[in-house]
Amino acid sequence: MKIEETKITLAETIRNWHRKGWSPATSTNYSFRFPENPDTIFVSRSGVDKSQFTADDFIEVNLQGTPKPRFIDTRPSAETLIHCTIYELFPETQCIVHSHSVYSVLHSAVEQEQVSIQGYEVLKGFHGIVTHETKVDCPIFDNSQDMNAFSETLRTSKNRLTIPAFIMRKHGTYAWGRSLFDAKRHLETIEYLLECEWKLRR
Amino acid sequence: MKIEETKITLAETIRNWHRKGWSPATSTNYSFRFPENPDTIFVSRSGVDKSQFTADDFIEVNLQGTPKPRFIDTRPSAETLIHCTIYELFPETQCIVHSHSVYSVLHSAVEQEQVSIQGYEVLKGFHGIVTHETKVDCPIFDNSQDMNAFSETLRTSKNRLTIPAFIMRKHGTYAWGRSLFDAKRHLETIEYLLECEWKLRR
Amino acid sequence: MKIEETKITLAETIRNWHRKGWSPATSTNYSFRFPENPDTIFVSRSGVDKSQFTADDFIEVNLQGTPKPRFIDTRPSAETLIHCTIYELFPETQCIVHSHSVYSVLHSAVEQEQVSIQGYEVLKGFHGIVTHETKVDCPIFDNSQDMNAFSETLRTSKNRLTIPAFIMRKHGTYAWGRSLFDAKRHLETIEYLLECEWKLRR
Amino acid sequence: MKIEETKITLAETIRNWHRKGWSPATSTNYSFRFPENPDTIFVSRSGVDKSQFTADDFIEVNLQGTPKPRFIDTRPSAETLIHCTIYELFPETQCIVHSHSVYSVLHSAVEQEQVSIQGYEVLKGFHGIVTHETKVDCPIFDNSQDMNAFSETLRTSKNRLTIPAFIMRKHGTYAWGRSLFDAKRHLETIEYLLECEWKLRR
């Protein structure tokens, strides 16, 4: 049924992205939920080698990021609270994905506030954009190990989140959408644009 | 039979090209037809994730890009009219392919009119070229969301289409041929040459 | 059982890393052991094409690198002594891995003593590092064909080995850990960081 | 038996190299022979898409490159004569491989006579080299469509062929060895070194 299918499809996507070098070591984390049950988030558990990630590696947490009782012995990803905050800020969100792509990290090592991207056809990969004749700003936030503090940064910066993606400095990219299909498209869109911009600017 | 085989082979090619990063998000589109029935174009439907593209994702349109009655509920690619115009301008064409490759986009972000390519052995990958001692110009056209306008640009620029490929600015590459085999060879040829030239010029 | 499983998993990892270009030709070598039997090292045999490496390509040597009697006709990797020395210097080590990655080689061609790496989230991939707010130095040692001499260099430089990885100049990276899982994570961590740093500095 | 096995292994190698981008479009060619029957060369036939190359795509030619009677209707690769000349100049050769790698092409677009490579561990991938403390020169010859003329160039330049590899300008790399295993190792060795040198020099 729907939950199991989504787990299988997202796990396959995660393994494919690992092959692209987007999740070195055991890094990155992913989640999804459904409108029928918006208080239950399925999030990747901590410390899994992403080349081996399977449908069994998701655990259930509530909107505060606390594991449901039957997952009490498993640790959710340390960044679960970031997922919770994105679901809170953008309630239509059903899936959140993440990468540690090299180009995301490189931009954030040299740019302060954001990466501005203009005039690419692939900008239409973002929900609601219908022409290449536009400019988007992908915001960069300083990395933090304090997830409460980082969540607060997201809340106070909501007005800067004009596309469904942001960069954590020297860490990676988060992207989200109204479905796994949308979230996947949004991450591939921003990563492609970051690669083009990096190669263009050097 | 021939149609089904071509669908399967082209779908496999599309999935392989997706792995190379040529079709991020749900971008790019593809078509083919046969001399026995030149008025029926099989074109990729809109919005499919190219990592999952299958033989079932082609729909039939006529030479004006209108879906045949039994596909009335499916949307052909928004760029179907570009395909129709290429078939019109070069009637021997049986297959048209497309990429959003990074190198194509990069060249078109810095060059105005064309990318000139000279002296490579792989130039022989283009139909009719038999020696590396030649120079070709791959034209760059400004990107547009108005497919009628872009088709008109192609028509008035036909004399610049001296190789079976062109670049849409910050969008990607189109290539075509007298068969799927030819179109595939032409796209791989131009993409390889664009990569060499980009790395050489930086 | 455990030995066979580890052979299979490490062999698969080796084939995957070969696809990433980390072991051109027949280069690189790998080993593991278990706490129950720390005097027996399972090391990759010499001269195997890493795209074809299988569980059968490990041989058993003792802590001095001498093959066990039943492997007397097989040659262990020429660099077995480096493995023995790492196990000696860091007795908790259970697995050692190696790459000839291009970025490792490039850094060591331009840097003298070390590659300093600071502020990346993925630094947390190294055992014991819990925040990105840190700096590590990956030491570079001159390459040598004299394995006794190189082992002595490692012993006298033990205090520089503050992360479980080092670079041999214009040769490649060694990494190790308390398990295959740890060693794999450490190699992917250092290689990712070296790629980021190289692209950032050019 | 041996011939069939070699066809299967070399065909698999060719498909793997295609995935690395070493044989865009239908380019590149390959051959092997056996000491028991040195006058029969098995060479890849012309015009095959290398992503689809199979054991059935080899045909038999003699030392002059003329197809054996039962292959009279198939065209051997246009560059068969280069293979014949390498077998003539280095009679111990049993296998010849080729790539159109980007790095080979780039070096030959900016260097006149040769690419000098020094001090890499992977130099030991060349037969007979036992230390990294050495320098090799990979010669570059001007590309030509006249295979007789090019073969004559090889003959008169034999003394420059000090490693089992050379570059044809803006065309690609040839490498060879005493077995498929050796030839494969030699091509992967030179391609890896060319990539390192290119990235180092920019």
Side-chain angles (χ1 to χ4, degrees), chain C residues 62-78:
Chain C
N62 65 17
L63 291 183
Q64 287 71 47
T66 310
K68 299 289 176 82
R70 64 186 175 102
F71 294 100
I72 213 65
D73 294 335
T74 327
R75 204 152 53 93
S77 163

Side-chain angles (χ1 to χ4, degrees), chain A residues 96-162:
Chain A
I96 300 172
V97 292
H98 185 25
S99 96
H100 285 205
S101 88
V102 166
Y103 294 108
S104 170
V105 162
L106 293 175
H107 279 290
S108 70
V110 300
E111 299 290 342
Q112 277 311 302
E113 296 289 324
Q114 63 199 22
V115 185
S116 295
I117 303 168
Q118 184 164 18
Y120 291 93
E121 175 71 12
V122 168
L123 283 164
K124 288 163 62 186
F126 290 125
H127 183 80
I129 294 187
V130 297
T131 172
H132 63 285
E133 298 183 281
T134 191
K135 176 168 103 56
V136 305
D137 295 323
C138 183
I140 301 168
F141 301 116
D142 284 343
N143 194 17
S144 175
Q145 300 305 320
D146 179 341
M147 290 302 135
N148 284 300
F150 189 81
S151 293
E152 200 46 38
T153 298
L154 285 182
R155 278 187 202 99
T156 57
S157 309
K158 193 186 167 188
N159 67 319
R160 293 176 59 202
L161 295 166
T162 53

Side-chain angles (χ1 to χ4, degrees), chain C residues 18 21 24-26 47 49 51 79 100-103 105-106 109-110 143-145 170-171 198 202, chain D residues 12 20 118-122 124-125 130-132 181 184-185 188-189 192 195-197 199-200 202:
Chain C
H18 180 271
T26 61
D49 180 336
S51 70
E79 292 169 29
H100 285 205
S101 87
V102 167
Y103 295 107
V105 162
L106 293 175
V110 300
N143 194 17
S144 175
Q145 300 304 320
K170 291 179 94 167
H171 179 147
W198 181 263
R202 296 307 108 182
Chain D
E12 189 195 355
K20 292 166 80 94
Q118 184 165 17
Y120 291 92
E121 176 71 11
V122 168
K124 289 162 62 184
V130 296
T131 173
H132 64 286
F181 185 83
K184 183 174 187 292
R185 199 181 68 235
E188 295 195 359
T189 294
Y192 169 90
E195 179 180 354
C196 288
E197 276 296 306
K199 289 183 171 168
L200 196 55
R202 296 307 109 184

